[in-house]
Amino acid sequence: MRKVFLTLLAILTMAYVHAAEKKVIRISTDNTDLVLQVADNGRLYQVYYGDKLLHEADLQNFDWYVHAGSDGSISRRGWEVYAGSGNEDYFEPAVAITHNDGNMSTMLKYVSSEQKAVDGGTETTIRLSDDQYPVDVTLHYIAYAKENVIKAWSEIKHNEKKAVTIWRYASTMLYFNAQSYFLTEYHGDWAKEGQPATQELQFGKKVVDTKLGSRAAMQAEPFFELGFDGPARESEGRVMLGTIGWTGNFSLTFEVDNVNNLRVIPAINPYASDYLLQPGTVFTTPEFIFTLSDNGTSQASRNLHDWARRYQLNDGMGDRLTLLNNWENTGFDFNQESLAALMREAKDLGVDMFLLDDGWFANKYPRKDDHAGLGDWEATRSKLPDGVPALVKSAKEAGVKFGIWIEPEMVNPKSELFEKHPDWAIRLPNRETYYYRNQLVLDMANPKVQDYVYSVVDNLMKENPELAYFKWDCNSPITNIYSPYLKDNQGNLYIDHVRGVYNVMRRVKENYPNLPIMLCSGGGARCDYESLKYFTEFWCSDDTDPYERLYIQWSMSKFFPAKAMAAHVTNWSKTTSVKFRTDVASMCKLGFDIGLQSMTAEELDFCRTAVDNFHRLKPVILDGEQYRLISPYETDHMAVNYVSTDKSKAVLFAYDLHPRFQGKTPAVRLQGLDAGRMYKVTEINLMPQDNTLAPGQPAKEVTSEDGKIYSGDYLMKVGLNVLTPKEGQSHVFELTAQ
Ligand code: DGJ
């Protein structure tokens, strides 16, 4: 009898062990694993995010509830992947809903999951639902294997009788368990984009968010850097980079809990956005893009650069046009003849295109300054009697392409559009209107407005099929938050407005797939990876002082490839040399926004050569791997090198900012070269007089490294002596494998 009982017990135990096989979802890239587990309570938990696990069997070793705090305490609530509200988790939820019966709790249980191959990686889709309410959430993750990047977003849907109010809607949620966490956020303002600030995260929440509605990233950037067990370092240590694809109110929440675990919640900012979700409709969150590196920020940035060029950025693998813009040169003061002359100057400079900026449109209230005209997208007859077609023709005659500026989401009250459709503007009906740059934001929640905004591009393209480029600006935040279209549903405005903007961008891309467009927002206040699906590049800042730009470009390059970052040579800092300014702009997508008449013959000659060099080296600078070598934030210098994918070419940019008396000028050690190959070092972008010196005579600005041949090994271990103690110097080197 006892034997029978024991056999039965053994069978039952085996069955239990078998049944206890844990449901595990593994989201893998080449170097990382994000592991999720369905717990015995039916809910989904994150059990791991870190270095790639080598043994599949180890996935069964995780326990959803075992997350030791730094003091050894164990958290039994677990890291719920998409934490609901009103349950045992007392920290920030991913989702919160007020149901039709007034109940404010949501608890999601695992239903099913699947994985399928998609371009560049694997998409994991996980379905969750609430067993008390007809609410479904689908979590999406695309893991890009080679680039070690994951893109995550979620969809929320319900079938309750009436609309529910959703008031938390995270894109995803991630958890970490380290000794300490250091957040580097990026803040800014007009002409001051991408300013880093690092702090150690302590118990409680740190929120980086924006409430500007449009021009949303003016003060807070939608990206961040996380250092684990110490501040993020450039080439060592564990670092995570993350960015949210949302050109509206976003919020990045970092919450350290009672056992020192960190949760990261990227989301649309719920501020003034209790969202009424109708039954059967899907609420899709923005995409959150992140990457983890054990070799510091440098590697994480290259992960994002490679991923963006291959899978996200519009025409990421294609070419980019160099250009001459007229904004900093002429402002609003131009006409048909003066523009034709500038187009000839563009040709003379050797750039691909002339870009006409603000001030070419509107007739009843012509755009002669920023007080009038936005909304009336017809060429001003008094200035441009033959309209845009004549400009396209002049460009053709000059031998350059033609591009044009628009700001289609905005309206000046002094415009025909506003007179005809005052209800198309976001504006409070019962309060005094506050104007930012004398304009209002059009109500993009309104489908009619979306059609109108689309028609701005469409009409110009229909009239001028040879238009080669748009610069799409967005200068105002939303200032008077009320949508005449949404009536008593104002909680949806901030969100539906942004969706409307993206609808139009998507439509433009669908109908004009080969049209390059620059994303601009009163400088760099729009730099998100959703917009960049439709745009080929963005304008980093109106601040083109080359010193300032070096800092801005350093920050932005952590998240965006050089190919996506437009940089122009201007007269913002006349005290610096044209060479210094041009070298700084040549590190990104090069353009000029300067009167060529303001330059000496030598300077102009220099610029022509620099443009030629840039055209020749685009495959290295725009498509190669980027290595930030010497930080302007930590030294009086700055250096960055780019290496072509086959490592046969490299370009090094080195700058002396404001060196102190007897300041250090360390050798610049390059990175990413082939240690076994020999490279010839040639200094390029030289002012003409340097080339006229007698052979052997050291030129004023040529370094002694010019013409030498070194191994990649030497260049990476010993480096080049290219920094100087002189203010405002720059040197550019082309390295060619022999
Ligand atoms: C802001 C942009 O950043 C500038 O480059 C320029 O296009 C102006 N708007 C025009 O109004």
Side-chain angles (χ1 to χ4, degrees):
M1 185 61 198
R2 190 179 141 79
K3 211 172 159 194
V4 173
F5 174 75
L6 285 178
T7 316
L8 209 63
L9 190 71
I11 292 170
L12 282 173
T13 312
M14 272 165 63
Y16 174 74
V17 167
H18 186 70
E21 171 109 342
K22 295 161 188 161
K23 169 73 188 167
V24 169
I25 301 166
R26 181 180 195 180
I27 297 163
S28 297
T29 66
D30 283 356
N31 298 340
T32 62
D33 266 318
L34 172 62
V35 183
L36 316 179
Q37 189 187 88
V38 181
D40 38 22
N41 62 9
R43 288 153 70 181
L44 184 70
Y45 294 86
Q46 179 190 317
V47 288
Y48 180 78
Y49 179 39
D51 292 340
K52 180 91 164 206
L53 298 164
L54 299 180
H55 302 283
E56 186 81 24
D58 284 338
L59 299 180
Q60 287 297 317
N61 292 334
F62 291 108
D63 271 326
W64 62 274
Y65 56 82
V66 181
H67 293 292
S70 46
D71 59 351
S73 60
I74 301 284
S75 159
R76 288 191 181 272
R77 67 174 176 269
W79 292 349
E80 193 161 13
V81 171
Y82 207 68
S85 57
N87 53 45
E88 79 284 358
D89 185 309
Y90 300 112
F91 296 88
E92 271 299 304
V95 60
I97 300 172
T98 304
H99 301 282
N100 282 184
D101 61 1
N103 189 317
M104 295 171 86
S105 76
T106 295
M107 188 184 286
L108 297 166
K109 300 219 166 148
Y110 173 81
V111 177
S112 65
S113 62
E114 60 193 46
Q115 293 190 314
K116 64 168 192 231
V118 294
D119 191 18
T122 305
E123 176 166 1
T124 303
T125 309
I126 305 169
R127 264 173 277 283
L128 308 171
S129 73
D130 190 324
D131 54 14
Q132 297 303 314
Y133 291 91
V135 170
D136 299 302
V137 170
T138 307
L139 310 178
H140 294 267
Y141 300 83
I142 300 183
Y144 296 88
K146 214 163 144 246
E147 297 77 17
N148 293 299
V149 166
I150 300 177
K151 175 160 106 168
W153 73 99
S154 305
E155 291 169 333
I156 305 166
K157 205 171 99 180
H158 74 94
N159 269 316
E160 300 196 19
K161 285 209 171 62
K162 295 182 295 172
V164 298
T165 302
I166 54 175
W167 39 282
R168 285 290 187 282
Y169 18 67
S171 292
T172 191
M173 235 167 145
L174 289 171
Y175 298 83
F176 299 92
N177 181 8
Q179 282 297 317
S180 55
Y181 313 96
F182 289 79
L183 170 71
T184 304
E185 61 178 306
Y186 290 84
H187 60 95
D189 207 330
W190 176 76
K192 216 173 181 308
E193 289 82 346
Q195 307 292 313
T198 301
Q199 62 181 269
E200 181 170 0
L201 297 171
Q202 306 287 353
F203 174 81
K205 275 188 291 182
K206 160 76 191 173
V207 180
V208 178
D209 69 1
T210 175
K211 300 186 183 73
L212 298 177
S214 62
R215 198 179 174 171
M218 178 160 62
Q219 291 154 2
E221 304 283 9
F223 43 75
F224 65 88
E225 214 176 332
L226 255 188
F228 298 91
D229 300 328
R233 283 174 293 164
E234 189 60 25
S235 303
E236 303 158 274
R238 173 161 289 196
V239 172
M240 179 187 145
L241 296 184
T243 177
I244 188 166
W246 190 248
T247 186
N249 295 350
F250 59 81
S251 90
L252 304 166
T253 303
F254 305 84
E255 186 170 30
V256 177
D257 67 13
N258 54 324
V259 289
N260 199 44
N261 291 325
L262 169 70
R263 66 180 65 185
V264 177
I265 315 173
I268 296 174
N269 188 349
Y271 165 75
S273 296
D274 282 0
Y275 192 93
L276 269 189
L277 185 66
Q278 298 300 330
T281 37
V282 178
F283 183 101
T284 305
T285 71
E287 295 173 352
F288 176 64
I289 296 118
F290 58 102
T291 183
L292 197 63
S293 149
D294 277 340
N295 304 313
T297 307
S298 182
Q299 181 59 57
S301 298
R302 284 190 295 283
N303 293 351
L304 289 180
H305 297 170
D306 288 345
W307 163 81
R309 283 184 298 229
R310 290 195 187 117
Y311 306 113
Q312 190 88 355
L313 177 64
N314 185 4
D315 199 21
M317 301 302 277
D319 199 5
R320 291 294 183 272
L321 298 168
T322 53
L323 57 85
L324 176 67
N325 191 189
N326 69 312
W327 174 248
E328 294 291 337
N329 178 17
T330 67
F332 295 94
D333 185 16
F334 54 79
N335 58 37
Q336 206 161 292
E337 288 70 42
S338 64
L339 291 180
L342 290 179
M343 292 172 197
R344 291 191 290 275
E345 286 189 6
K347 178 68 183 170
D348 180 37
L349 182 61
V351 293
D352 302 312
M353 179 173 60
F354 174 74
L355 170 63
L356 172 59
D357 215 282
D358 195 354
W360 60 267
F361 49 89
N363 282 298
K364 183 167 178 189
Y365 305 104
R367 180 85 171 162
K368 50 181 190 302
D369 53 34
D370 63 16
H371 285 78
L374 282 177
D376 300 346
W377 297 101
E378 279 171 1
T380 308
R381 279 185 295 277
S382 53
K383 244 182 188 175
L384 304 169
D386 302 312
V388 177
L391 301 175
V392 178
K393 189 162 166 264
S394 299
K396 213 170 175 179
E397 281 162 11
V400 288
K401 291 178 192 287
F402 181 70
I404 200 159
W405 178 97
I406 53 174
E407 192 180 1
E409 300 148 68
M410 303 282 163
V411 66
N412 283 122
K414 265 180 107 178
S415 69
E416 289 185 83
L417 183 72
F418 189 75
E419 285 177 350
K420 229 161 107 193
H421 298 289
D423 56 326
W424 280 12
I426 294 177
R427 194 169 55 122
L428 285 160
N430 52 354
R431 296 185 196 277
E432 198 184 332
T433 305
Y434 176 86
Y435 297 98
Y436 190 103
R437 210 192 190 207
N438 316 300
Q439 63 197 59
L440 291 171
V441 180
L442 287 175
D443 181 3
M444 299 294 284
N446 182 342
K448 280 203 183 118
V449 176
Q450 291 177 30
D451 286 346
Y452 177 78
V453 173
Y454 172 74
S455 79
V456 175
V457 177
D458 195 41
N459 291 345
L460 277 161
M461 286 307 291
K462 282 194 173 125
E463 185 194 37
N464 308 282
E466 288 179 82
L467 256 179
Y469 187 86
F470 279 82
K471 173 178 176 183
W472 178 319
D473 209 340
C474 163
N475 282 292
S476 177
I478 299 179
T479 49
N480 312 270
I481 187 71
Y482 182 86
S483 158
Y485 172 77
L486 289 172
K487 300 196 177 75
D488 56 359
N489 197 4
Q490 297 297 319
N492 290 23
L493 175 52
Y494 277 125
I495 296 174
D496 285 352
H497 175 79
V498 178
R499 289 188 176 147
V501 172
Y502 287 139
N503 282 346
V504 177
M505 291 179 176
R506 197 174 303 118
R507 208 161 144 192
V508 169
K509 166 95 192 289
E510 274 162 15
N511 290 305
Y512 300 101
N514 303 319
L515 183 64
I517 315 184
M518 183 206 284
L519 189 62
C520 173
S521 183
R526 251 187 187 166
C527 47
D528 67 283
Y529 269 121
E530 182 64 26
S531 301
L532 287 172
K533 282 181 183 168
Y534 319 113
F535 286 62
T536 45
E537 59 232 44
F538 73 97
W539 180 231
C540 304
S541 177
D542 277 348
D543 191 340
T544 44
D545 174 310
Y547 288 119
E548 294 301 324
R549 264 284 168 153
L550 284 177
Y551 292 88
I552 293 170
Q553 290 174 192
W554 182 273
S555 292
M556 297 279 190
S557 77
K558 293 190 177 176
F559 304 90
F560 303 100
K563 181 174 248 180
M565 292 165 51
H568 296 172
V569 180
T570 74
N571 265 336
W572 260 55
S573 166
K574 283 191 186 146
T575 52
T576 56
S577 68
V578 167
K579 169 175 164 55
F580 190 77
R581 285 178 256 161
T582 308
D583 289 350
V584 171
S586 296
M587 293 167 71
C588 298
K589 205 220 82 163
L590 176 66
F592 289 77
D593 193 355
I594 188 168
L596 301 192
Q597 314 295 339
S598 71
M599 294 190 206
T600 64
E602 287 76 27
E603 286 170 338
L604 193 51
D605 232 28
F606 163 82
C607 288
R608 288 192 197 103
T609 312
V611 169
D612 281 352
N613 285 337
F614 182 79
H615 283 158
R616 185 167 46 78
L617 294 170
K618 269 193 288 186
V620 189
I621 299 168
L622 300 186
D623 293 312
E625 301 272 279
Q626 186 194 56
Y627 296 83
R628 291 180 296 269
L629 306 173
I630 296 187
S631 166
Y633 288 99
E634 291 161 16
T635 70
D636 297 325
H637 307 274
M638 197 266 209
V640 170
N641 79 261
Y642 300 79
V643 183
S644 65
T645 38
D646 65 359
K647 297 186 188 290
S648 66
K649 273 260 179 222
V651 183
L652 168 67
F653 293 88
Y655 305 89
D656 307 307
L657 310 182
H658 307 288
R660 299 187 61 188
F661 176 66
Q662 290 187 341
K664 292 179 199 150
T665 53
V668 175
R669 283 183 285 164
L670 284 87
Q671 291 180 31
L673 302 175
D674 183 338
R677 285 167 96 170
M678 304 301 289
Y679 290 88
K680 178 161 190 206
V681 179
T682 310
E683 181 156 10
I684 59 170
N685 280 14
L686 293 165
M687 284 300 287
Q689 70 265 30
D690 294 329
N691 295 333
T692 61
L693 293 167
Q697 184 185 351
K700 200 168 84 221
E701 291 181 4
V702 181
T703 69
S704 56
E705 302 289 11
D706 182 50
K708 294 202 175 149
I709 296 179
Y710 296 106
S711 69
D713 185 49
Y714 180 93
L715 289 163
M716 293 191 288
K717 288 182 179 157
V718 181
L720 293 175
N721 290 308
V722 294
L723 300 180
T724 83
K726 283 192 279 171
E727 184 166 296
Q729 301 295 302
S730 60
H731 296 281
V732 185
F733 300 90
E734 180 173 350
L735 288 90
T736 311
Q738 302 299 289

